[in-house]
Amino acid sequence: MQPIDAIQVTKGMKTICIASAKGGSGKSTLATALAVRAGQEGRVALLDLDPGTASMTMWLQARGRPDELHLDTGDGLISARVKALAASGRFDFLLIDTPPMDVELIQAAIEAADAVIIPVRCGLFDLAASVVAAEMCREHKRPHAFLLSHVDGRHPILVEQMIKPLSGMGPIFKTRVKYRKAWITALNLGRSAAEFDRESRAEVNGLWDEVATLLRKGRLDE
Ligand SMILES: Nc1ncnc2c1ncn2[C@@H]1O[C@H](COP(=O)(O)OP(=O)(O)OP(=O)(O)O)[C@@H](O)[C@H]1O
Ligand SMILES: [Mg+2]
């Protein structure tokens, strides 16, 4: 695992955005898991751009609204909110969870991020939808990578079929997030799957290390 100083090349808060125009790709689940993981390295703020029912805000309530995960409830432009959080000097990491479909909001979140994770499930429609966020990242020159999520361990062929077309659209995290019960039950409990499931913990740690590389180098290792 990489220590915090490896990530903090520049002084100040690092903003990690989880974005995809495709609904149900795993954005909010990953945002909660990474929030917990980030909390092991520094002070964390959360920006929930989809504070409806199935959201990070709801998960925080189930977790008992812990002080160490600060939920930003401000309003106004995303860029201004991110700047204000950074300027406060109170946070090392900001996690942004985005809604599906709302292209303007996704774009604003991507623009404000230091690194963008684009979760993708295996399937043609998922592949097609994931290009939207990737193009935004390229347009705004934001370091980004695709994350294969909900991977069915029984059918590795499905991942293999995704790799070629997806790699033509952008970099892919080596870490894969498997479809696992722990990821679902964790949400009900206001927890991260990594807090009680060893395999999920390995995935979150692997992803965190790769995100750290993305933040530090602006790209993934070969
Ligand atoms: N690794 C996983 N294994 C099994 N189920 C998962 C996994 N990750 C997420 N899920 C489940 O998949 C569903 C969609 O996840 P989630 O709500 O995080 O996606 P989302 O991209 O935030 O969706 P939306 O676009 O609606 O905001 C949820 O029911 C969640 O519990
Ligand atoms: Mg969501």
Side-chain angles (χ1 to χ4, degrees), residues 98-112:
T98 58
M101 309 297 284
D102 191 333
V103 175
E104 276 180 28
L105 211 47
I106 299 171
Q107 179 132 307
I110 285 176
E111 219 177 329

Side-chain angles (χ1 to χ4, degrees), residues 13 45 47 70 72 80-91 94:
M13 189 181 78
L47 198 50
H70 170 83
D72 180 71
R81 289 171 73 179
V82 172
K83 275 186 194 142
L85 288 165
S88 75
R90 290 171 56 206
F91 306 107
L94 170 65

Side-chain angles (χ1 to χ4, degrees), residues 29 178-189 191-201 203:
T29 304
K178 282 201 176 149
Y179 183 93
R180 204 174 285 118
K181 189 178 76 176
W183 283 96
I184 302 170
T185 49
L187 297 177
N188 307 332
L189 304 168
R191 298 179 71 190
S192 158
E195 290 177 298
F196 59 87
D197 178 67
R198 195 159 41 90
E199 286 168 297
S200 306
R201 184 156 54 246
E203 291 172 351

Side-chain angles (χ1 to χ4, degrees), residues 142-211:
R142 300 288 99 194
H144 63 284
F146 297 112
L147 173 70
L148 284 162
S149 177
H150 295 74
V151 167
D152 187 337
R154 295 168 305 174
H155 305 297
I157 183 76
L158 297 177
V159 167
E160 284 164 33
Q161 286 171 347
M162 287 292 281
I163 297 298
K164 200 173 169 196
L166 202 55
S167 58
M169 288 158 44
I172 310 172
F173 289 109
K174 289 191 186 78
T175 304
R176 313 265 153 81
V177 173
K178 282 201 176 149
Y179 183 93
R180 204 174 285 118
K181 189 178 76 176
W183 283 96
I184 302 170
T185 49
L187 297 177
N188 307 332
L189 304 168
R191 298 179 71 190
S192 158
E195 290 177 298
F196 59 87
D197 178 67
R198 195 159 41 90
E199 286 168 297
S200 306
R201 184 156 54 246
E203 291 172 351
V204 173
N205 286 338
L207 177 60
W208 179 257
D209 284 354
E210 288 195 272
V211 170

Side-chain angles (χ1 to χ4, degrees), residues 27-28 50 54 97-98:
K27 298 178 290 296
S28 303
D50 193 16
D97 184 24
T98 58

